[in-house]
Amino acid sequence: MDQEEIIHVYFMPGMAANAAIFEYIKLPEDKFKMHFLEWIIPLDDESLKDYALRMNKYVKHDNIVLIGVSFGGVVVQEMSNYISVRRLIIISSVKCRDELPRRMRFAAKTGFFKLIPTSLLDYVDHFEKLAVNDFLKKRARLYRKYLSVRNNKYLDWAIKNMVCWGCEKPREDLVHIHGDADLIFPIKYIRNCIPVKGGTHIMIINRYRWFNRHLPEIILTGGLNKKKMNKIEKR
C-alpha cells in the first residue's frame, strides 16, 4: 500500500443513535480520513437490501473501510454486498442469525417484536426531569445526546429488520469486535471475534481509548497480533 495513501473510513452508528457516538474516536490523520453516516428514514415497506443500496449513495470514495455498531453493523454488512470495501468491521453486533440471542430469535418467530412500544422514545427528553438520582440523570443525558433518531417509522422498521435479519453465513473477511460484558448481544452467542474485556454494548463511547489504541492496526491488518491480544488492557 502506498504510504501516502489516505484510507477513507466510514462509520455507521447503532439503532436510533447519531454519529456523536464516535465523537471520542480518533484515528491518525496522516493515514485515515473519518466519515460519518447518519440514519435515513426508510421508505414504505422498504427491504433491508434496498435501504443498504440507498445508504451506499452517501459513500463518496472507493475501496473504503466500513465500520458499523450494533444494528449499524448489520446495515454495513448489507451495504458491503454492493460496493468494494478494503475492510469491513462490526462492533457490538452480530454476523448472522445464529449469533442473535434466543429472545430475539423467539421475537422474530412469534412476531412479538411488533408489540415493542417505540413511541416511548418520544419521552427521552422528559426522563431527566423524572430521574431521582445523579446516575439516572446522567443516563438520561446520554440518551438524549446520542439517541436522536426517534421517528416511529424508522424505529419500527429497524427493530423488525434487526430481529428478522436473515443472514445465515458470515462473510469470511469480516472483522468483529465484541465486548465480553455485552448484555444486548451476549458474547456466548458470538464466534470468531476480537474480545474487549469488560466491554459493554456502548463500549464505543465508554471504552473509546481501547479503540483509539487498537483500531488503526485492526484496519490495516484485519486483527491484533497474539502478543497484543494476550496483553490487552482493561480501560
Side-chain angles (χ1 to χ4, degrees), residues 14 17 33 52 54 57 72 85 111 115 148 151 174 180 191 194-195 215 223 226 231:
K33 175 68 175 177
R54 279 210 295 146
K57 294 179 181 179
V85 296
L115 303 178
S148 64
N151 179 280
L174 175 63
D180 65 4
R191 296 182 296 278
I194 298 172
L215 201 51
K226 291 183 178 180
K231 293 185 176 180

Side-chain angles (χ1 to χ4, degrees), residues 133-150:
N133 59 47
D134 290 340
F135 173 79
L136 291 179
K137 289 180 180 179
K138 180 179 180 181
R139 180 61 58 86
R141 288 193 292 271
L142 289 175
Y143 285 157
R144 187 174 61 190
K145 179 177 181 179
Y146 296 119
L147 300 181
S148 64
V149 187
R150 303 178 199 168

